[in-house]
């Protein structure tokens, strides 16, 4: 669930996207024969960015990006050519204060996407040059602490990980042998 700049509620479903406005529901379906359509019907997560664009994570369809000025979807998927997602099953998406996206995938770990350049950086069991402590590539939740620059991400059967954006270092709280003390302000 997420709301857009017009106050409409976007709801991801197994059968497409529902947009609710003033009690009316607009259902947007995936149509592989229509350019600018959803890439896949199962919408798993939705995030609005600072420019009013909507990012939708799908099951096997990668990410769909919708901007109010374009009024169509642009698809970002895994590709063997150049920078891309490393998995097309998306569980969660969050934008940081640098306007970059952190994307949780089912089997590719955490993907860091730089929309301005199209570049991706991966934090996973397979490709993790900074720290080999990630215990699972199935990322389920992301929280960005804008004050500290820390990225918290939860992994299925892998605990909570804390990534420092500036260094790329990662601590896995569930498996770290050192004593880690965390404090949260709610």
């Amino acid at each position: 669930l997420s709301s857009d700049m017009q106050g409409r509620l976007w709801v991801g479903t197994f059968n497409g996207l529902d947009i609710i406005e003033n009690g009316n529901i607009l259902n947007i379906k995936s149509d592989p024969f229509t350019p600018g359509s959803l890439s896949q019907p199962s919408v798993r997560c939705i995030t609005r960015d600072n420019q009013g664009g909507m990012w939708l994570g799908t099951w096997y369809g990668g990410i769909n990006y919708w901007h109010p000025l374009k009024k169509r979807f642009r698809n970002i998927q895994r590709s063997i050519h150049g920078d891309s997602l490393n998995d097309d099953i998306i569980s969660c998406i969050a934008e940081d204060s640098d306007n970059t996206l952190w994307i949780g995938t089912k089997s590719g770990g955490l993907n860091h996407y730089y929309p301005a350049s199209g570049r991706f950086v991966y934090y996973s069991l397979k490709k993790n040059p900074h720290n080999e402590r990630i215990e699972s590539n199935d990322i389920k939740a992301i929280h960005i602490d804008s004050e500290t620059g820390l990225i918290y991400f939860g992994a299925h059967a892998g605990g909570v990980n804390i990534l420092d954006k500036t260094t790329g270092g990662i601590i896995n709280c569930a498996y770290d042998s050192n004593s880690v003390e965390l404090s949260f302000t709610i």
Side-chain angles (χ1 to χ4, degrees):
L1 299 171
S2 187
S3 61
D4 64 17
M5 298 286 282
Q6 293 78 36
R8 300 176 298 180
L9 183 64
W10 290 45
V11 181
T13 74
F14 285 117
N15 296 312
L17 170 69
D18 289 343
I19 300 177
I20 303 171
E21 180 178 25
N22 299 324
N24 298 314
I25 300 174
L26 171 64
N27 181 261
I28 298 171
K29 301 252 186 218
S30 171
D31 181 356
F33 301 108
T34 303
S37 155
L38 280 173
S39 64
Q40 211 275 342
S42 182
V43 177
R44 302 183 56 163
C45 59
I46 304 170
T47 298
R48 180 179 71 198
D49 68 20
N50 69 343
Q51 296 180 355
M54 304 297 284
W55 296 86
L56 289 71
T58 66
W59 181 262
Y60 281 110
I63 293 176
N64 291 263
Y65 176 68
W66 183 90
H67 193 276
L69 297 177
K70 299 273 185 178
K71 300 195 181 212
R72 68 177 183 269
F73 291 99
R74 179 173 64 99
N75 184 241
I76 300 169
Q77 288 186 298
R78 182 180 182 175
S79 171
I80 58 170
H81 307 290
D83 272 342
S84 72
L85 288 167
N86 65 0
D87 186 12
D88 282 332
I89 302 174
I90 310 302
S91 302
C92 49
I93 305 169
E95 183 184 36
D96 65 18
S97 60
D98 296 327
N99 304 325
T100 64
L101 296 174
W102 296 86
I103 303 160
T105 69
K106 171 83 172 135
S107 61
L110 186 66
N111 286 217
H112 188 190
Y113 177 54
Y114 298 80
S117 66
R119 189 171 65 95
F120 282 85
V121 175
Y122 313 113
Y123 299 90
S124 68
L125 287 170
K126 297 175 189 166
K127 290 187 177 182
N128 186 0
H130 304 290
N131 188 320
E132 297 297 332
R133 292 195 186 178
I134 295 175
E135 298 294 327
S136 171
N137 279 336
D138 189 357
I139 308 303
K140 298 294 189 187
I142 302 168
H143 172 74
I144 299 171
D145 186 333
S146 57
E147 290 181 24
T148 63
L150 298 176
I151 311 296
Y152 297 83
F153 58 102
H156 181 79
V160 174
N161 300 279
I162 305 171
L163 182 144
D164 184 331
K165 275 183 12 177
T166 50
T167 67
I170 297 172
I171 296 171
N172 182 283
C173 296
Y175 299 100
D176 193 357
S177 60
N178 299 321
S179 174
V180 177
E181 186 176 318
L182 302 174
S183 62
F184 297 92
T185 305
I186 297 176

